[in-house]
Each structure stands twice: as structure tokens, then as C-alpha cells.
């Protein structure tokens, strides 16, 4: 029942610890879906987390731990919303730099959560340049990375701790990977709880820098932002902090073709009643892309978020029926 | 964590009690949605219940309590799936009479859950006639009603008990009404736990026999099956057992126009990441249809199920964008 009455948090003194504020992940036993995929399947859904994705775990931890009262971040997606909301709870100010082409619903969501939106024309100036500019103008502010920060990994480790304590013994946990904040957090949380459960990363084949990094033994970057449907994984590379965990900690990376990501969204809809965003469905897509690897196992797929534009979702549902 | 390892139940001796088998309802705090509607809103979602709707509560209770080893029921929807699955868990046989025009996915689902499907050409013989025919052929079988049975109300009372024990104090609980099994169960469960929380029924305006019954002080029937988008509420009338609870127990009935049902499905998608079937969204539709009644209150909307055809869902999402 965490999360009820959270509106009152901001009025208290010291920040409440993450474990009291975060909503526990929603564990869903999915026998029909599992049968179809040949595994015993549990979904760990972060779609009902505050602001609709796991990003709240990291955002709150960062905002609560740093001493700065102002936070600047660049995000057109879930991290911006999560940081705006977390800062609101903590009585801190939050500026989110977004491309001027961002969907209005995403801009509105950040504002509704209490964040200040700084739209930037990315043809003139990249978001990172605009963030650096703002950082110079506001030296008292903390510039938050969506993934490459030990506080991000620590925040996401709370999900690993929950999986360790949930009473189920998984042969594999699969989580989407973009910058690596989620997968490194889950590994950290599981290991801190004494669990050696293998953790696999599910990555869009179109954005397979993590898979290539693991093969090369060093961080390999995408040349440009990959245009995968899994927009939460459109990162250029892993971060230094996340790579330090992932290089030894990951059991493997499964590269998921775009059509398997879409099929995973549809299967979650049809056989588990779960609305997932494409990035959130990546872990299930990994079961479709590499079924032999997980055959007959007890698998936990982390569904990282559910925020998807209705028009995009409708198109994904349509593909199966036209 | 109820629901894990449920596959093993059938092999044991005496039936396990419902409270051990049922999945607890998924309580979702929905502050964005609540703000938009002017209430403090909790969703009690049965979309992740076994077979995707609250119907499992009643079906399991019926199948576990009756001594017959065979069950016959007429249902083209959630009750048929729930009964097939419940009988499978209990090692009983289940026959579901469905119209020959039923969607193949629904027929497949009943079969996948272990039920025998009896397709009947409803132009020649009504489903009820076919059920009576089967009952004569199989006198050893129990003919199960989807709503008008004390065992149905008792099964659904488990949801009322959960709401009573969840630690939140609601000013109103709203649940969809068709035959009345869910709303009468919730009332029964809440009252048994000593809670006098007002319970409202949300009914399609197109199928407003419960509202008319309450006004008339006696059961009023729809002339024919109402063609509401909320197909779980396409019932001809309340039952004798449910009416006995509802006539005194309901705080009121809210009649929800079709467009508000569709809008509720879209709002659950956009602001709560929840996939609901139209019948499941009725309770939220009630907030849209009669906002003054619930303004500023702490409201629990029961989302009764999530099983909706992708094509139907896509059309509902589309209405807002074209």
C-alpha cells in the first residue's frame, strides 16, 4: 500500500527514504503467456510505479540524496517526468530540457508533475549543450544523468531488493537496457541480498551497443541515436558507472528485432492484460527472440514502464490485424 | 503472492479455500486520474485476477462448494473462462454453452482453460434452451448461473472483504452492474466486515434495468439484450438473489452513456496505464457521468476485468484521435 497519501510528503522535514515512498513493483503471474513462450513466467511491472515507470526509483533517490535544491536534467521521456515528480515531493526545483519537437502530452506531463520545461531547438543546439549552458547560469543546481550516476544505480537497486525478497526463485531475470541504469541496479540489489540470480539485458537490435560492448570488453557507442520503437533505449552508449557493474554482472544480452518488440507489446495486451510501452516490453521480446535460452525456466521479465502514446499503441495493435 | 504455483492445486485432495487461491485485487493509487476527475481515486483492478476478471472469485466458489463433478454454464464471456479454469483447478468437468457467432479468441480461451465448448446456433435455439437440454441429458451436472446464486455472491464477497481490510477508508465504492453479482458481493463482504461504505452501481444507460428496478422497487427487465459496448452488462435483468441484496444495499445507480464508457477506457489507458475492458471501465465512467455526486471524495472504482478484443480496444482509442 505504499504510495497512498504521498501528496503530504513535501510538507515534512527530512526526506522520507525511498523504500517508504516507492510503490512496490506489481508482480503478475502470467501462466497463459508463459505457456505460449515455454517458460514459467512472472512479470514485474513498473507500469503502476509513480509516474508510470521504474525511473521514479532513481529520480527520487538522486533528488533526495543530493544537497542541491535545484535539479536540471535532459529527458524527453520517463526520467524527466519522474524527476519533476520526485522534486515536487521533496520541495525542490526541477528543470527538464526537452527537444522543441517533443509530444505535447510529454511536455504537459512534466509540467503537471511540477517541473519547469525548457524547450530547445535541437537543430540549433543539442540538449546536452543547453543543459551545460543552464548549469553555468545556475551553478547552484545539480545536473542529473538519467543513468550514469551511482545514485541512479542505488535507486534502481530497490527493485533488485524487491525481487530478492519476493519469495520466488527465478532462474533468470530479464530487464531492458538503454543506458544500463535499470539492469545495473537490479544486479546490485540482488547481489546485496545475497542472490546470484542471472540477469539478462534485453536490447533493441537496432540499438545494440550494450551487446557489442560486452563482446568487445569495452564501451562501444552507437554512431547516432538509434530510431528503435523502444524509445527508452535510444541511448548512445552505456555509462561509466553502469558499465562497471554490467561488464561482469550481466549473464548476457539478448538483441531484440523491432517486430519482436511489437509482438511482445501485443502479447502483453492479449494474454496478460498489461499495457506496456515498447521499451517496457523488451524483456518479453527477449523470450521471443531467443526462446531456446530460457526454455522451461522460471523467468521474471521486468516491464519497465507503460507510458506510450495512444496513437503509437494503436498502430502496434493494428499490425496484427490488418 | 497468491496465485503462484496454482497449477499444482488440482492434484491435492480437498479443495483449497477461495481466499488461498484468489489473487488479491490490485490496488492502484491514481493521482493524475483523480485530479482530472476531482476525487481522491483508488482503482481496485481485477484485470490481473485469474482469467482476467473478477468472475474467477464466483466461479471458483461455486465449483468448489457444489458436490457435482460436472458444471454446465452459458456464457460467451468472462464467466465461462473463469468457470473452465476453476473446474480445471478442482478436477471437475466444465461445459460452456456459447453462441456459434462467438469470437474465436473467446472460444479458444475457454478451451485453453480446459473447458468443453458447446456452440449453439442461437437463431435456432437460445443458449438457455440449450443449457436446459444439456441439463436433462446430464442430470448429474450442476447448472451454474453467472450471477443469480448465493454462492456467486459469496465468492464475490471476497473482494468486499479485501476492500474492507485494505487500510483505506473510502467515501464510496463504485462497481459495474449487470446481473448484480459483483455489486451484491461487494456489499455483502463490506457489511460482513462491519463497514458501512456506500456502494454505487455503474450501469450502461443503454442497459439501465438496475436503475429502473431501484426506482420501481421491483425487478424491471430489459426488453431485449441491450447492445451496449460494455458487453459484460448485456443482461436482461438482475437476479432474485442479487436483487435481495441490492434493493436495500445500494447507495445508488449511476447510468453511464456509451461515450462516457469509451472515454473512461481511454482515461484509464492514458492516465493510469491500465488496460480495461469497457465493462471494467464503467465505474470510472460513473465519475464522468455524475461528477458532482463524488466531488472531493475518496473513491474506489472497481475495474472488473480487462479482457477486450484488440480490434475493439483499438477503435476505442482511435475515437479520441481521428
Amino acid at each position: 500500500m505504499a504510495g497512498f497519501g504521498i501528496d503530504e510528503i513535501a510538507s515534512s522535514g527530512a526526506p522520507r527514504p525511498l523504500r517508504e515512498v516507492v510503490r512496490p513493483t506489481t508482480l503478475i503471474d502470467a501462466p497463459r503467456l508463459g505457456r505460449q513462450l515455454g517458460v514459467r513466467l512472472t512479470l514485474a511491472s513498473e507500469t503502476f510505479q509513480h509516474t508510470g515507470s521504474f525511473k521514479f526509483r532513481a529520480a527520487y533517490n538522486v533528488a533526495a540524496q543530493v544537497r542541491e535544491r535545484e535539479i536540471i536534467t535532459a529527458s524527453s521521456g520517463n526520467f524527466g517526468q519522474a524527476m519533476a515528480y520526485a522534486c515536487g515531493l521533496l520541495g525542490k526545483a526541477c528543470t527538464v530540457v526537452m527537444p522543441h519537437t517533443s509530444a505535447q502530452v510529454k511536455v504537459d506531463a512534466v509540467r503537471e508533475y511540477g517541473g519547469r520545461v525548457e524547450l530547445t531547438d535541437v537543430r540549433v543546439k543539442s540538449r546536452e549543450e543547453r543543459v551545460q549552458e543552464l548549469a553555468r547560469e545556475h551553478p547552484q543546481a545539480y545536473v542529473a544523468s538519467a543513468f550514469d550516476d551511482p545514485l541512479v544505480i542505488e535507486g534502481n537497486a530497490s527493485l533488485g531488493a524487491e525481487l530478492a525478497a519476493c519469495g520466488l526463485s527465478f532462474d533468470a531475470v530479464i530487464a531492458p537496457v538503454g543506458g544500463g541504469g535499470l539492469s545495473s541496479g537490479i544486479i546490485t540489489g540482488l547481489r546485496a541480498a545475497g542472490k546470484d540470480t542471472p540477469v539478462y539485458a534485453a536490447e533493441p537490435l537496432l540499438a545494440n551497443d550494450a551487446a557489442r560492448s560486452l563482446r568487445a570488453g569495452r564501451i562501444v557507442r552507437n554512431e547516432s541515436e538509434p530510431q528503435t520503437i523502444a524509445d527508452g533505449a535510444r541511448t548512445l552508449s552505456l555509462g561509466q558507472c553502469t558499465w562497471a557493474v554490467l561488464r561482469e554482472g550481466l549473464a548476457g544480452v539478448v538483441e531484440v528485432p523491432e517486430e519482436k518488440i511489437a509482438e511482445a507489446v501485443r502479447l502483453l495486451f492479449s494474454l496478460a492484460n498489461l499495457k506496456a510501452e515498447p521499451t517496457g516490453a523488451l524483456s518479453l521480446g527477449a523470450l521471443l527472440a531467443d526462446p531456446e535460452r530460457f526454455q522451461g525456466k522460471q523467468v521474471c521479465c521486468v516491464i519497465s514502464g507503460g507510458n506510450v502514446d495512444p496513437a503509437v499503441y494503436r498502430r502496434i495493435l493494428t499490425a496484427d490485424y490488418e
Side-chain angles (χ1 to χ4, degrees), chain A residues 11-186:
Chain A
S11 59
S12 74
R16 287 173 62 190
L18 176 62
R19 67 176 180 281
E20 287 182 17
V21 178
V22 75
R23 292 182 182 161
T25 200
T26 304
L27 290 168
I28 302 170
D29 185 27
R32 278 189 84 187
L33 191 46
R35 256 195 311 278
Q36 176 133 343
L37 298 171
V39 298
R40 288 179 64 88
L41 181 61
T42 302
L43 307 173
S45 181
E46 288 285 289
T47 62
F48 306 117
Q49 188 53 263
H50 297 296
T51 71
S53 86
F54 78 99
K55 294 280 187 183
F56 176 78
R57 296 175 184 268
Y60 186 86
N61 197 53
V62 170
Q65 302 277 340
V66 303
R67 70 175 65 189
E68 289 84 349
R69 307 294 305 167
E70 288 180 49
I71 291 179
I72 300 171
T73 193
S75 166
S76 53
N78 287 327
F79 190 69
Q81 295 184 33
M83 187 55 87
Y85 186 61
C87 285
L89 294 177
L90 293 157
K92 296 193 174 187
C94 177
T95 300
V96 181
V97 178
M98 305 178 76
H100 72 296
T101 51
S102 298
Q104 191 62 38
V105 289
K106 297 190 174 183
V107 173
D108 291 346
V110 170
R111 288 188 176 138
E112 193 187 325
Y113 288 130
R116 197 171 71 83
V117 173
E118 179 80 25
L119 291 175
T120 181
D121 185 340
V122 292
R123 293 166 306 186
V124 178
K125 194 179 293 176
S126 79
R127 279 189 289 170
E128 290 63 31
E129 287 171 322
R130 184 65 189 126
V131 166
Q132 291 313 318
E133 204 172 74
L134 285 168
R136 283 191 298 274
E137 291 167 22
H138 303 275
Q140 75 284 11
Y142 184 82
V143 177
S145 161
F147 54 89
D148 204 21
D149 183 331
L151 292 174
V152 164
I153 298 173
E154 184 182 87
N156 292 332
S158 62
L159 178 54
E162 287 180 34
L163 296 180
C166 78
L168 292 167
S169 181
F170 301 117
D171 300 313
V173 171
I174 312 177
V177 67
L182 177 59
S183 47
S184 61
I186 291 172

Side-chain angles (χ1 to χ4, degrees), chain A residues 212-280:
Chain A
R212 290 186 289 136
S213 298
L214 223 61
R215 286 195 286 270
R218 61 178 173 79
I219 296 179
V220 176
R221 294 170 66 84
N222 295 311
E223 305 237 322
S224 60
E225 188 175 282
Q227 290 310 299
T228 168
I229 190 178
D231 55 354
R234 288 181 189 168
T235 39
L236 288 179
S237 76
L238 299 169
Q240 296 298 333
C241 303
T242 55
W243 172 243
V245 175
L246 297 176
R247 61 179 305 169
E248 301 292 340
L250 270 186
V253 180
V254 180
E255 299 167 65
V256 187
E258 295 293 294
E259 67 271 17
K260 297 294 186 197
I261 304 173
E263 189 182 341
V265 171
R266 287 192 293 271
L267 284 171
L268 287 167
F269 175 94
S270 293
L271 299 182
N273 278 344
L274 192 63
K275 175 205 172 192
E277 59 183 89
T279 311

